[in-house]
Amino acid sequence: MANGKLDYKKEYKDLYMPKAKPCIIDVPAMCFIMVDGKGNPNVEEGEYQQAVELLYALSYTIKMSKMGGNLPAGYFEYVVPPLEGLWWLNDNSHFDFSTKEKFCWTSMIRQPEFVTQEVFDWACKELAKKKPQLDTSKARLQTFDEGLCVQMMHIGSFDDEPKTIAQIDAFIKEKNYQDAISEVQPDGTIKRHHEIYLGDPRKIESSKMKTVLRHPVKG
């Protein structure tokens, strides 16, 4: 915990800093603010970029809640965790990175353990006062229990991810696991191709971008 602040990326390196080769991991249940949407994420001021803006605005409203005298029970200092995303195609076909207009996605940011539904509802009301142009009704607080997965660090452009995914698929087959993407969980959520973004593509060369790629599996 650097400077008294919990940095999830550094504290939980198994989740956020895998090596550039596939590995198996059992991902614990975590709480996220989530926003669902469809379409090409690269569209300027499009649905995806609006969702990301909403996620960060809510996350920072919660982080700075102490400044307004609304300190949630159990509050601790922390670094806002990285942006993450679940991705699939609207026709449930094989994931094709060249058909971005068909993308469906859930964009999400992990929340600290003290964030309850009450804290989230408060943040939505506060944000609505400060930035009424953001539709907080599109966001929700949800526990995501991903379970057994294979993950790997992808270094480079998002468009080059198929090469890394091929390594993940080969590892799954070699270790006799089964791909669990699109499997419906008992709570109704569906397992998806999962990405965790460890840098800002606006500030980092695409060749140096680091993205955790994670695929759910079953034994």
Side-chain angles (χ1 to χ4, degrees), residues 30-217:
M30 291 175 274
C31 186
F32 290 85
I33 296 178
M34 296 181 169
V35 179
D36 299 322
K38 297 179 180 180
N40 189 335
N42 298 324
V43 173
E44 196 70 30
E45 298 184 4
E47 188 175 354
Y48 180 79
Q49 294 188 11
Q50 292 174 22
V52 171
E53 181 183 5
L54 175 59
L55 284 171
Y56 275 111
L58 285 169
S59 295
Y60 276 97
T61 297
I62 292 171
K63 176 179 169 60
M64 303 307 294
S65 58
K66 61 174 185 174
M67 304 298 290
N70 293 289
L71 193 66
Y75 182 95
F76 53 82
E77 295 283 356
Y78 65 99
V79 176
V80 171
L83 178 70
E84 307 187 29
L86 306 176
W87 298 86
W88 66 101
L89 293 182
N90 57 16
D91 57 5
N92 281 322
S93 60
H94 180 71
F95 201 78
D96 182 352
F97 283 77
S98 68
T99 58
K100 293 182 173 64
E101 69 280 359
K102 292 184 178 181
F103 281 2
C104 297
W105 40 264
T106 297
S107 193
M108 57 198 203
I109 294 179
R110 182 180 182 176
Q111 298 302 302
E113 289 71 14
F114 66 80
V115 177
T116 61
Q117 186 64 46
E118 183 179 2
V119 172
F120 173 73
D121 291 343
W122 170 86
C124 287
K125 291 177 182 177
E126 286 297 302
L127 184 60
K129 296 175 189 174
K130 298 175 182 177
K131 295 187 176 183
Q133 74 274 17
L134 297 180
D135 185 0
T136 58
S137 69
K138 292 184 177 180
R140 68 183 182 278
L141 187 71
Q142 181 174 325
T143 297
F144 184 51
D145 190 358
E146 202 165 17
L148 196 66
C149 295
V150 171
Q151 67 178 15
M152 176 177 171
M153 184 70 79
H154 170 75
I155 301 175
S157 166
F158 297 137
D159 290 334
D160 290 335
E161 286 183 14
K163 297 176 183 177
T164 300
I165 292 172
Q167 294 183 61
I168 291 174
D169 289 342
F171 179 88
I172 291 171
K173 185 176 181 180
E174 176 189 346
K175 300 299 182 182
N176 294 316
Y177 289 106
Q178 294 180 6
D179 193 319
I181 287 179
S182 298
E183 187 172 284
V184 181
Q185 301 188 81
D187 64 358
T189 59
I190 302 174
K191 294 187 175 184
R192 303 293 191 187
H193 168 85
H194 187 172
E195 301 185 357
I196 304 174
Y197 310 107
L198 301 179
D200 188 338
R202 298 169 300 179
K203 301 176 181 178
I204 302 174
E205 287 182 30
S206 61
S207 63
K208 297 179 181 179
M209 279 291 298
K210 291 184 177 180
T211 308
V212 180
L213 301 187
R214 185 181 291 164
H215 280 191
V217 296

